[in-house]
Amino acid sequence: MNPTTIKTAYAAARDRYAEMGVECDDALDTLSATPISLQCWQGDDVRGLETASAGDPGGGLQVTGSHPGRARNAEELRRDLAMAMALSPGCQRVNLHACYPDGVGPAADRDALEPAHFQGWIDWAKRLGIGLDFNPTFFAHSKAASGLTLTHPDPAVREFWIAHGVACRRIGQAMGRALGTPCVVNVWIPDGSKDSPADRSGPRERLRDSLDRVFAEAIDPAAARDAVEPKLFGIGSESYVAGSYDFYLAYAVARHKMLCLDMGHFHPTEGIADKLSAVLGWLDEALIHVSRGVRWDSDHVVVLSDELRTVAEEIVRGGYLPRVHLAMDYFDASINRVAAWVIGARSLTKALLMALVEPAAELRRMEADGDFTGRLALMEDLKTMPLGAVWDEFCRREDVPTGNLWMSDIRRYETDVQMKRT
């Protein structure tokens, strides 16, 4: 689209929003400074970079599809991530799993990983001026073949995974110090039971004690932050998950940890927007894994859905942007993997923009005055405001394609780069 046309349309839209008491330029400045962490595992179907990896994530994870062009090594994965970031407006970070080492020194098992094993990622992020986040990988390993890690009844197996968690926190701290921005280190485990267990308390007691040991070593909060992530069920843990929402909510409050709310980790009819004001009344920060659940599958590419809009509205209305970390979490091999990143990132950014140009003060005033009719009417009017013109202006300012023009770049990249991978 012609830049002059974009500016003209934006000026008209800005005036419309100004009539409602909204300053669009302020909204765009806030949006530009709001980071979104892109998940590295979308680019290679969660296969990882370990030399012993068989390419099957397991642990309750399943990647579907066989679209050509999967990244096969760290260089290709970083090239794909850079392409996705170049087509997504706003501020990005990259979210790594521990099964993606790329550094110096001899290979090590997960209980002996060190920051040096991820030096390639640290150097790359430093060149791009972005932050990194980190996740221990409690799956796709011989010691996780049973589906149990930190709750395993065998103390030796638990010791291995505790050591892995400790190592990952040290790696996250090193990343944060090297890059000058806190690294969110998020713990998710697949532990659970396919059928109804006879003992629900035992695994949770072992999980509590294992987590206490993982978190025993103090880390610099300016360099790294701890998060714990619940899930309703997984493949092979349909009936019982030790790390449920109730367990981790209680643990996060008791141990002063960040709670991760994954949009696809709850019942299909249960949204997370209402949970934010509840948990942030007790916790300093929250991590949101932005995903899209479809029936039982929680990891579809994020789109601009009503649920996503509601979450973004709650973040902005509650003044939670400084306290909420946003990270994408899905893996889809049925479409171009770079496009999947871009679609998800742009959808979340649009949802945040919609929330930022909402006349929140006026809506709160109406609500406080008991004017629920006016509140509903204004909310409905907002749905036909010229948001598209504001979005196009944001893309112009961020120097990324407007509309669907970015797909031309994806088509070229697929032909020139991805389709040549064999």
Side-chain angles (χ1 to χ4, degrees):
M1 187 182 295
N2 187 292
T4 301
T5 303
I6 293 175
K7 292 179 182 180
T8 301
Y10 173 67
R14 183 178 56 198
D15 291 344
R16 286 282 310 279
Y17 279 103
E19 292 173 359
M20 306 175 74
V22 174
E23 295 293 338
C24 286
D25 286 336
D26 292 345
L28 295 186
D29 289 343
T30 300
L31 188 61
S32 182
T34 301
I36 295 172
S37 197
L38 301 183
Q39 74 287 27
C40 76
W41 49 94
Q42 163 58 34
D44 76 332
D45 309 339
V46 206
R47 291 175 179 247
L49 300 174
E50 295 168 309
T51 55
S53 174
D56 179 13
L61 305 178
Q62 185 174 2
V63 182
T64 56
S66 57
H67 196 87
R70 178 185 64 82
R72 302 164 298 179
N73 52 54
E75 181 181 353
E76 291 179 352
L77 186 54
R78 287 195 283 263
R79 185 175 183 180
D80 290 354
L81 276 162
M83 183 65 181
M85 289 188 285
L87 297 175
S88 304
C91 176
Q92 287 93 35
R93 303 169 62 88
V94 168
N95 203 6
L96 293 175
H97 246 289
C99 60
Y100 287 83
D102 178 52
V104 297
D109 207 344
R110 292 186 190 168
D111 62 334
L113 288 171
E114 297 179 352
H117 293 110
F118 296 86
Q119 193 62 49
W121 288 103
I122 295 171
D123 293 342
W124 174 74
K126 190 175 294 186
R127 288 195 298 271
L128 268 60
I130 64 172
L132 294 176
D133 298 308
F134 201 65
N135 304 263
T137 306
F138 291 96
F139 53 84
H141 190 280
S142 59
K143 286 187 169 61
S146 66
L148 303 179
T149 59
L150 294 179
T151 73
H152 203 288
D154 184 345
V157 176
R158 290 203 306 278
E159 287 295 326
F160 176 88
W161 290 113
I162 290 168
H164 176 57
V166 171
C168 288
R169 293 180 75 231
R170 292 172 179 169
I171 292 167
Q173 180 174 247
M175 288 177 171
R177 285 176 172 168
L179 300 173
T181 177
C183 173
V184 177
V185 182
N186 180 56
V187 172
W188 173 79
I189 64 170
D191 300 37
S193 175
K194 181 177 179 64
D195 215 331
S196 298
D199 179 14
R200 294 176 183 269
S201 61
R204 285 178 173 148
E205 290 171 0
R206 292 192 290 272
L207 177 55
R208 179 198 61 210
D209 295 342
S210 295
L211 288 170
D212 284 348
R213 291 185 56 197
V214 168
F215 296 130
E217 182 178 301
I219 58 174
D220 179 5
R225 314 281 177 83
D226 295 313
V228 289
E229 179 181 356
K231 192 172 186 178
L232 176 63
F233 80 98
I235 301 170
S237 61
E238 288 85 354
S239 297
Y240 168 78
V241 171
S244 65
Y245 174 69
D246 306 275
F247 175 90
Y248 276 128
L249 175 59
Y251 189 88
V253 172
R255 301 296 192 263
H256 306 289
K257 300 300 178 185
M258 192 187 308
L259 182 68
C260 174
L261 299 172
D262 187 303
M263 293 178 64
H265 279 193
F266 294 87
H267 190 277
T269 62
E270 184 179 14
I272 72 164
D274 185 60
K275 301 180 188 300
L276 281 170
S277 60
V279 303
L280 287 173
W282 302 95
L283 301 172
D284 294 333
E285 296 177 292
L287 168 64
I288 295 182
H289 272 191
V290 184
S291 187
R292 177 166 61 104
V294 177
R295 300 186 187 275
W296 63 270
D297 188 348
S298 67
D299 293 298
H300 286 249
V301 177
V302 170
V303 297
L304 187 57
S305 63
D306 287 343
E307 182 182 4
L308 184 63
R309 288 179 53 196
T310 303
V311 170
E313 288 168 354
E314 187 64 21
I315 294 172
V316 174
R317 289 174 184 172
Y320 298 137
L321 268 179
R323 300 171 58 191
V324 169
H325 302 262
L326 295 166
M328 313 304 290
D329 187 7
Y330 53 83
F331 32 87
D332 190 337
S334 69
I335 65 174
N336 182 288
R337 294 168 182 82
V338 178
W341 267 317
V342 178
I343 292 168
R346 289 172 75 106
S347 295
L348 174 55
T349 308
K350 288 177 185 175
L352 291 169
L353 176 60
M354 295 177 79
L356 287 166
V357 295
E358 182 183 77
E362 177 64 9
L363 289 169
R364 284 195 296 268
R365 185 197 63 78
M366 289 178 170
E367 186 167 290
D369 291 345
D371 185 7
F372 306 130
T373 305
R375 181 189 63 183
L376 181 59
L378 180 53
M379 285 180 171
E380 286 301 299
D381 285 342
L382 287 170
K383 294 178 180 178
T384 54
M385 286 292 286
L387 182 81
V390 184
W391 170 255
D392 287 342
E393 172 64 10
F394 183 61
C395 290
R396 186 194 68 80
R397 294 185 185 187
E398 296 287 316
D399 196 26
V400 301
T402 57
N404 202 39
L405 296 176
W406 61 271
M407 272 302 299
S408 298
D409 295 274
I410 290 291
R411 301 293 189 202
R412 284 192 296 270
Y413 187 75
E414 185 173 66
T415 301
D416 297 343
V417 178
Q418 292 175 291
M419 294 300 290
K420 294 180 179 179
R421 297 171 182 170
T422 57

